[in-house]
Amino acid sequence: MCELQRDIKFEDAMKRLEEIVRSLEDGNLSLEEAIKLYEEGIRLTKICNDILRSVEKRVVLIEKLNGEYIQDDITNDIYGGLGQKE
């Protein structure tokens, strides 16, 4: 996977990350190959984090719309009070 697309599925990105980790841990790569895989892994990690943040925001919104959301300090810090009950 040379070029990473933003529309990659979370599960596919995680699977590829696991492959990268195994390859790097095996230690049978040249320095250049290892660096390329590391860069790909960093990009995949950012994509996964972005997907997770988006899903978390959706969950908070769904809970808020259903009146089930309970605010806590962590969520308030992350989402700026998005899930606050009135």
Side-chain angles (χ1 to χ4, degrees), residues 26-74:
D26 285 346
N28 298 326
L29 301 170
S30 69
L31 180 59
E32 186 61 31
E33 291 170 320
I35 292 296
K36 284 181 182 180
L37 283 180
Y38 180 78
E39 288 175 333
E40 181 182 351
I42 293 297
R43 286 191 303 270
L44 285 167
T45 300
K46 182 177 179 350
I47 289 169
C48 287
N49 284 333
D50 290 348
I51 291 169
L52 287 174
R53 272 196 279 297
S54 174
V55 169
E56 287 173 340
K57 287 179 182 179
R58 286 177 60 197
V59 168
V60 167
L61 182 59
I62 290 167
E63 288 177 345
K64 183 176 182 183
L65 292 173
N66 289 311
E68 299 171 5
Y69 182 74
I70 298 173
Q71 177 187 358
D72 62 26
D73 291 336
I74 294 172

